[in-house]
Amino acid sequence: MSGVYARRIAVLAASAALTATGVLATAPAAQAAPPTPVSAATARTYLAQLTVRAEGSSSGYDRDKFPHWSTQSGACNTREVVLKRDGVNVVQDSACAAVSGSWYSEYDGATWHAASDLDIDHVVALSEAWRSGASGWTTSQRQAFANDLTRPQLIAVTDNVNQAKGDLDPAEWMPSRTAYRCTYARMWVQVKHHWKLSTDSAEKSALQSVLNGC
């Protein structure tokens, strides 16, 4: 992970210094990133535990079957929570909308200063989840998956990069920023493992290749 988290480590170090002086004594340090995924070794173990089967049908899929973005607190929904979490110096208005701040898109290395330039990516896309087992879930399970802030399933990234990714799996798409691919593979496997989603053989092979190089 050296290099990949250098920026974050610097931020956390600065926050720790402020905490030591009492400035942030009652507030947690901003992580400016999704939850740290499991290690590459754990991800390799998890990947070996995933059910391997041909990808299912998209028949019946609809994004509305994965209700999002859910209200998290007050006026803040999941999108706004992620924008606040993944950004630096983010200011929100009374409706919880991010009106200023800066965001570094881990997928492509771009920095943005307007929330409108960012999408919140579902690392494991909703339709990918549908084809991997979520078609059999209840609506409440799909809602929990689509708004999962506990696992590294949601990340603020450049909007057109997210749109280009679409619902492709790691055999078909990986971040153009190669330094993030190990992290991305760890994120993907952790999410699929937690939610007991299957993997197809090409997807598993691509993930193994990345994780073996971590």
Side-chain angles (χ1 to χ4, degrees):
M1 295 190 299
S2 60
V4 177
Y5 287 106
R7 179 178 60 85
R8 294 177 195 157
I9 291 169
V11 170
L12 290 173
S15 296
L18 287 171
T19 301
T21 64
V23 176
L24 295 176
T26 60
Q31 68 185 107
T36 302
V38 296
S39 69
T42 299
R44 286 192 289 268
T45 298
Y46 282 2
L47 181 59
Q49 295 171 353
L50 295 182
T51 297
V52 179
R53 66 172 178 234
E55 200 165 78
S57 170
S58 294
S59 177
Y61 169 74
D62 190 309
R63 283 179 67 85
D64 291 344
K65 293 183 178 180
F66 292 79
H68 65 288
W69 303 107
S70 298
T71 299
Q72 295 294 333
S73 177
C76 300
N77 65 22
T78 307
R79 172 182 164 82
E80 299 300 344
V81 168
V82 175
L83 285 171
K84 176 75 171 180
R85 182 198 70 189
D86 290 3
V88 176
N89 299 323
V90 177
V91 175
Q92 296 172 309
D93 64 16
S94 60
C96 204
V99 293
S100 64
S102 67
W103 292 266
Y104 179 77
S105 173
E106 295 282 10
Y107 289 178
D108 59 327
T111 298
W112 302 98
H113 299 279
S116 59
D117 289 320
L118 298 142
D119 278 355
I120 307 305
D121 179 41
H122 289 97
V123 172
V124 176
L126 304 183
S127 54
E128 165 69 22
W130 178 271
R131 298 189 299 268
S132 303
S135 60
W137 293 354
T138 64
T139 298
S140 61
Q141 286 175 308
R142 290 193 286 262
Q143 180 172 9
F145 175 82
N147 296 276
D148 188 357
L149 292 165
T150 304
R151 265 65 51 182
Q153 159 69 342
L154 300 170
I155 182 172
V157 296
T158 304
D159 54 5
N160 63 333
V161 171
N162 178 55
Q163 290 151 26
K165 172 191 168 182
D167 64 354
L168 302 178
D169 70 31
E172 304 159 316
W173 186 94
M174 289 291 286
S176 61
R177 184 169 161 261
T178 56
Y180 200 67
R181 290 181 179 178
C182 178
T183 302
Y184 183 80
R186 288 157 48 211
M187 295 164 78
W188 182 282
V189 171
Q190 181 179 349
V191 171
K192 281 219 161 178
H193 183 268
H194 175 81
W195 289 97
K196 297 179 172 58
L197 295 169
S198 63
T199 180
D200 64 54
S201 57
E203 172 191 348
K204 182 176 181 179
S205 177
L207 288 163
Q208 282 178 324
S209 178
V210 173
L211 291 171
N212 286 342
C214 291

